Amino acid sequence: MKRLLLATAALSALTITASAASEAQTAIGQQNNSTIKAVTCDDFIHRLKQAESALGIPMPRPDHDFADMRENIIGNLNSTAAYVNPALKDDDQQATLTCEKEGSKLFDEFELDVPSIYNNRLSNVRTTNLIAAALYAYTGWPSKKIFAARRKLVDDLMRKTRLNLIRGEATDDVELTLPGNGVARLSGGDGGMTLVVTRDTDQEKND
């Protein structure tokens, strides 16, 4: 009987400890979400330029400074650049940054069109490095977390692509939730890939 009581007490203690740990983790997540400030275009551009040194990976150079922005037809600001490499013989490495015009120029969207990771080793490295840089530019996360997020996006898309090829279905995009009501969407296949990092303005209205 005494052993049974001790075992029951030990089990209760473990349950309480696990519950407390879970609640603490939830509280930390809520605290992190509540302290995230809105990402401005200046934040994004600065971190994009620092991605090579911050992440420790070689980065292609854009042919245009994203800080040089123009007003588009709907009143926002945008800037487009190409990541050119003659060795790849394609022109699919385009990136467009869009920001709100008013106030602090809040980040709106970064769309990146790059070669498929299925093409060759060089395009694979360039593509995955650019994906990591875009995620870092928005989040400012440490490199380990950035690489884990990149791996999840790429692995999820490859898995979904294989399944859809077997089923004869078109491949949809895959998503990753980011801080500050952000989301990263990756899509594509053999012909090329597109990464879109964007702010969910509809979610912001509901918050």
Side-chain angles (χ1 to χ4, degrees):
M1 183 66 178
K2 185 176 181 180
R3 288 181 181 177
L4 180 59
L5 289 173
L6 288 173
T8 303
L11 181 59
S12 298
L14 287 173
T15 303
I16 292 170
T17 302
S19 177
S22 177
E23 290 176 3
Q25 187 64 37
T26 301
I28 291 171
Q30 291 173 343
Q31 182 180 16
N32 286 343
N33 285 335
S34 65
T35 57
I36 292 169
K37 70 182 184 70
V39 179
T40 68
C41 263
D42 288 342
D43 295 331
F44 188 93
I45 292 169
H46 174 73
R47 286 196 289 254
L48 191 63
K49 291 178 178 178
Q50 299 297 316
E52 181 168 290
S53 59
L55 301 177
I57 54 177
M59 288 298 306
R61 299 285 183 264
D63 66 354
H64 177 79
D65 186 350
F66 284 108
D68 181 15
M69 311 196 78
R70 299 286 185 270
E71 186 172 346
N72 61 24
I73 58 174
I74 62 173
N76 286 332
L77 299 173
N78 64 12
S79 185
T80 300
Y83 292 92
V84 179
N85 187 338
L88 292 177
K89 297 180 181 180
D90 63 49
D91 58 354
D92 292 330
Q93 305 157 69
Q94 300 285 334
T96 300
L97 173 64
T98 305
C99 308
E100 293 184 0
K101 180 181 178 182
E102 305 300 330
S104 55
K105 290 199 306 182
L106 289 179
F107 169 89
D108 186 53
E109 182 177 275
F110 185 71
E111 182 171 341
L112 178 66
D113 293 315
V114 289
S116 172
I117 59 173
Y118 308 110
N119 289 352
N120 58 56
R121 183 175 176 80
L122 177 57
S123 64
N124 186 330
V125 173
R126 285 170 59 88
T127 292
T128 54
N129 284 7
L130 284 168
I131 291 172
L135 293 174
Y136 173 73
Y138 181 82
T139 64
W141 285 341
S143 59
K144 186 176 181 179
K145 192 169 183 178
I146 290 294
F147 296 146
R150 177 186 67 180
R151 184 168 58 251
K152 176 171 175 50
L153 272 174
V154 172
D155 288 354
D156 284 355
L157 181 63
M158 292 180 70
R159 189 180 305 110
K160 196 169 188 179
T161 299
R162 284 195 298 268
L163 289 174
N164 286 1
L165 284 173
I166 293 170
R167 295 167 178 158
E169 300 173 353
T171 300
D172 298 321
D173 57 12
V174 294
E175 291 190 358
L176 180 69
T177 301
L178 301 176
N181 293 321
V183 62
R185 297 186 182 95
L186 184 64
S187 61
D190 290 342
M193 303 180 75
T194 299
L195 174 74
V196 177
V197 178
T198 187
R199 227 176 77 239
D200 189 347
T201 52
D202 289 337
Q203 179 63 37
E204 288 178 356
K205 292 174 184 177
N206 294 330
D207 289 346

